[in-house]
């Protein structure tokens, strides 16, 4: 038996001034795709041959330019057409948070076009991120099986790919004409309000685990949705998959129960951990006796598509009359500054105008700096990573170091700091371009706080002037 495999990974933040074109994607084809494909081990173990289409990793960034999307989708559809009479099923890893200029969701479009080619019966399994949007057509017509990661941060991503691959193998070896069931919930939350180690997501996940113990239910999922572009499909969703055709009506019943369970907890969603206005957050971090502390610059969260170029917290720190704690900024993206510094030897003292100056949040700062070390910046995206340059500088007469990158890189893994040549544990405070804190940082941090900064990923989404979303929508409207 043969399964066609493909992946598309984009979170489209419409509030940044750049769009996604081909240069933002890493494309993987052929054996490269087969060898690195999450879920691939399951197909190998089951003796199912993988037919590679394409994996396009763009990660969190902007809205896609139409011709870029057309090329990527074209590669997927070409592979489906070419192998239509060889393949028994299709396995797709689609993030779900994308938007194409003038077209809507890329994920939904890809699945719809593939379904159009293969007809209503070929099994299509989709594994996705909870920070993506769903629609009735996407879940109930385009997909046969669709399941999302349970955990945010997504510590169960690989495990979920394996699990969905197993579900598809099971379906291929014992064919049933089953359909995923979808329920929409008129509520919209940011990832930082729906961390899975916290309530109410912990309870929703536990409830889904209990529902899945029933042999009539193959899978239950709960989707947070994606908030960073204005779209009619924005919002939370429920997916329930029956085990057999005879269980279809029961799956509908379970979907209603699960939808009611999540809806009843809508007022429990909250920012996990300490979230404070920027001035208070900095003061709180400075007042800590223990180190290291982490401040997340949540309005400039690169893992949610922001550009990572805001200098707001840097200016807060530089403007302090007295600073006794050491502070690391990891990182600030300024391609021009990075390129200029890259040409100078380590140890050079120079004046630097840091900040791209796109808006008030990214206004430039004049600094006297010494070049400390040069390294690589690493942005993990989907199944691959994008490498850039970085230069770490020390501010003269201030205990402040800044990793300046030529590409946006939200620092949350030791490997990223290693490649920059900097150890964040050496500093009292590290400022990162994230929203919620990621596990590796959380484990080592003595204290962390989310600074509610402005920017392309501002956390107070109820202040975003959406025009196209479903209304009423909780908590924008009090339902
Ligand atoms: Zn996500």
């Amino acid at each position: 038996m043969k399964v066609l495999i493909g992946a598309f990974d984009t979170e489209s933040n419409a509030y940044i001034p750049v769009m996604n074109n081909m240069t933002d994607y890493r494309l993987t084809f052929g054996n490269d795709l087969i060898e690195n494909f999450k879920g691939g081990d399951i197909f190998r173990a089951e003796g199912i041959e993988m037919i590679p289409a394409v994996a396009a990793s763009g990660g969190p960034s902007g809205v896609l330019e139409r011709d870029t999307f057309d090329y990527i989708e074209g590669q997927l559809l070409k592979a489906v057409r070419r192998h239509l009479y060889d393949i028994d099923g299709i396995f797709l890893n689609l993030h779900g948070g994308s938007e194409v200029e003038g077209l809507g969701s890329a994920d939904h479009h890809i699945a719809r076009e593939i379904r159009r080619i293969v007809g209503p019966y070929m099994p299509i399994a989709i594994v996705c991120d909870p920070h993506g949007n769903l629609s009735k057509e996407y879940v109930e017509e385009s997909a046969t099986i669709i399941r999302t990661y349970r955990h945010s941060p997504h510590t169960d991503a690989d495990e979920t790919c394996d699990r969905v691959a197993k579900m598809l193998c099971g379906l291929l070896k014992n064919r049933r004409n089953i359909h995923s069931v979808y329920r929409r919930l008129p509520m919209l939350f940011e990832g930082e309000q729906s961390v899975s180690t916290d309530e109410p997501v912990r309870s929703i996940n536990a409830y889904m685990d209990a529902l899945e113990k029933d042999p009539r239910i193959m899978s239950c999922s709960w989707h947070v949705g994606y908030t960073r572009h204005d779209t009619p499909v924005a919002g939370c969703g429920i997916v329930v998959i029956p085990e057999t055709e005879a269980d279809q009506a029961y799956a509908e019943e379970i979907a209603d129960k699960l939808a009611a369970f999540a809806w009843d907890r809508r007022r429990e969603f909250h920012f996990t951990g300490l979230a404070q206005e920027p001035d208070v957050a900095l003061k709180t971090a400075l007042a800590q006796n223990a180190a290291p502390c982490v401040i997340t610059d949540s309005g400039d969260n690169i893992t949610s598509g922001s550009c990572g170029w805001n200098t707001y917290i840097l200016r807060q720190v530089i403007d302090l009359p007295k600073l006794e704690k050491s502070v690391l900024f990891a990182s600030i993206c300024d391609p021009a500054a990075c390129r200029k510094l890259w040409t100078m030897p380590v140890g050079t003292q120079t004046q630097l105008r840091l900040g791209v100056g796109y808006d008030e949040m990214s206004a430039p700062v004049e600094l006297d700096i010494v070049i400390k070390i040069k390294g690589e910046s690493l942005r993990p995206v989907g199944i691959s990573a994008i490498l850039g340059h970085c230069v770490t500088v020390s501010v003269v007469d201030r205990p402040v170091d800044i990793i300046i990158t030529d590409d946006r890189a939200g620092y949350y893994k030791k490997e990223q700091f290693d490649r920059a040549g900097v150890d964040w544990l050496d500093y009292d405070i590290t400022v990162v371009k994230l929203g919620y804190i990621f596990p590796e940082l959380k484990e080592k941090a003595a204290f962390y706080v989310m600074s509610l900064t402005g920017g392309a990923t501002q956390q107070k989404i109820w202040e975003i002037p959406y025009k196209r979303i479903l209304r009423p929508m909780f908590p924008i409207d009090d339902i």
Side-chain angles (χ1 to χ4, degrees), residues 109-257:
H109 199 276
I110 288 167
R112 183 187 307 131
E113 292 303 309
I114 291 178
R115 177 56 79 199
R116 214 193 293 276
I117 295 169
V118 302
Y121 304 120
M122 182 176 285
I124 298 177
I126 301 175
V127 59
C128 46
D129 190 291
H131 305 120
N133 293 317
L134 302 175
S135 73
K136 192 168 171 66
E137 183 201 15
Y138 183 58
V139 174
E140 297 193 350
E141 292 174 35
S142 300
T144 314
I145 292 170
I146 182 163
R147 182 182 174 91
T148 182
Y149 314 146
R150 281 273 204 273
H151 292 290
S152 301
H154 310 316
T155 49
D156 62 333
D158 292 5
E159 183 192 319
T160 307
C161 292
D162 286 353
R163 188 159 175 166
V164 174
K166 267 185 205 153
M167 289 176 193
L168 178 59
C169 292
L171 188 58
L172 293 181
K173 291 183 175 176
N174 173 21
R175 289 291 299 267
R176 291 96 77 202
N177 187 21
I178 54 170
H179 299 279
S180 296
V181 175
Y182 170 62
R183 292 290 182 270
R184 183 175 191 172
L185 292 167
M187 51 189 200
L188 192 61
F189 300 111
E190 188 41 48
E192 281 62 25
Q193 296 168 289
S194 49
V195 171
S196 58
T197 50
D198 200 354
E199 292 298 347
V201 181
R202 189 164 46 195
S203 290
I204 294 171
N205 282 347
Y207 188 60
M208 291 195 293
D209 288 344
L211 292 173
E212 284 175 348
K213 291 217 164 71
D214 190 319
R216 293 171 287 180
I217 299 299
M218 183 192 290
S219 171
C220 296
S221 296
W222 176 72
H223 284 250
V224 180
Y226 189 71
T227 60
R228 299 295 168 195
H229 54 259
D230 193 354
T231 166
V233 293
C236 299
I238 298 292
V239 179
V240 177
I241 311 171
E243 185 63 36
T244 71
E245 288 169 74
D247 305 321
Q248 195 75 40
Y250 182 66
E252 300 272 349
E253 209 178 290
I254 292 301
D256 286 332
K257 272 192 180 173

Side-chain angles (χ1 to χ4, degrees), residues 375-388:
E376 288 171 324
S377 82
L378 177 74
R379 173 158 63 113
V381 284
I383 64 166
S384 59
I386 291 173
L387 274 179

Side-chain angles (χ1 to χ4, degrees), residues 153-420:
H154 310 316
T155 49
D156 62 333
D158 292 5
E159 183 192 319
T160 307
C161 292
D162 286 353
R163 188 159 175 166
V164 174
K166 267 185 205 153
M167 289 176 193
L168 178 59
C169 292
L171 188 58
L172 293 181
K173 291 183 175 176
N174 173 21
R175 289 291 299 267
R176 291 96 77 202
N177 187 21
I178 54 170
H179 299 279
S180 296
V181 175
Y182 170 62
R183 292 290 182 270
R184 183 175 191 172
L185 292 167
M187 51 189 200
L188 192 61
F189 300 111
E190 188 41 48
E192 281 62 25
Q193 296 168 289
S194 49
V195 171
S196 58
T197 50
D198 200 354
E199 292 298 347
V201 181
R202 189 164 46 195
S203 290
I204 294 171
N205 282 347
Y207 188 60
M208 291 195 293
D209 288 344
L211 292 173
E212 284 175 348
K213 291 217 164 71
D214 190 319
R216 293 171 287 180
I217 299 299
M218 183 192 290
S219 171
C220 296
S221 296
W222 176 72
H223 284 250
V224 180
Y226 189 71
T227 60
R228 299 295 168 195
H229 54 259
D230 193 354
T231 166
V233 293
C236 299
I238 298 292
V239 179
V240 177
I241 311 171
E243 185 63 36
T244 71
E245 288 169 74
D247 305 321
Q248 195 75 40
Y250 182 66
E252 300 272 349
E253 209 178 290
I254 292 301
D256 286 332
K257 272 192 180 173
L258 178 53
F261 188 91
W263 177 248
D264 288 346
R265 280 154 187 78
R266 65 190 177 281
R267 290 181 202 282
E268 293 175 32
F269 288 90
H270 61 276
F271 292 128
T272 289
L274 193 58
Q276 296 179 324
E277 292 300 321
D279 286 350
V280 185
L282 179 59
K283 239 181 235 166
T284 313
L286 288 168
Q288 299 303 311
N289 290 320
C293 298
V294 176
I295 299 176
T296 58
D297 184 355
S298 65
D300 196 20
N301 175 6
I302 292 167
T303 67
S304 195
S306 198
C307 291
W309 61 31
N310 288 355
T311 52
Y312 186 84
I313 299 182
L314 174 63
R315 283 176 283 142
Q316 274 188 301
V317 168
I318 295 295
D319 288 347
L320 288 169
K322 198 166 100 182
L323 177 64
E324 280 163 355
K325 303 254 168 142
S326 58
V327 182
L328 171 68
F329 285 84
S331 54
I332 289 179
C333 175
D334 184 338
C338 184
R339 274 195 295 271
K340 181 183 151 196
L341 294 168
W342 189 262
T343 62
M344 301 175 182
V346 168
T348 304
Q349 181 168 341
T350 183
Q351 277 210 319
L352 179 68
R353 191 177 156 82
L354 179 62
V356 299
Y358 166 69
D359 56 12
E360 198 282 319
M361 295 304 292
S362 58
V365 198
E366 301 286 347
L367 300 167
D368 277 325
I369 56 97
V370 175
I371 298 176
K372 189 170 182 175
I373 190 166
K374 298 181 190 178
E376 288 171 324
S377 82
L378 177 74
R379 173 158 63 113
V381 284
I383 64 166
S384 59
I386 291 173
L387 274 179
H389 296 105
C390 68
V391 178
T392 301
V393 301
S394 298
V395 178
V396 174
D397 295 333
R398 290 255 159 180
V400 174
D401 285 358
I402 310 163
I403 303 174
I404 300 166
T405 59
D406 63 359
D407 185 24
R408 47 181 181 242
Y411 277 69
Y412 56 87
K413 287 180 165 203
K414 183 174 183 298
E415 186 191 358
Q416 293 176 294
F417 290 98
D418 288 348
R419 283 184 185 249

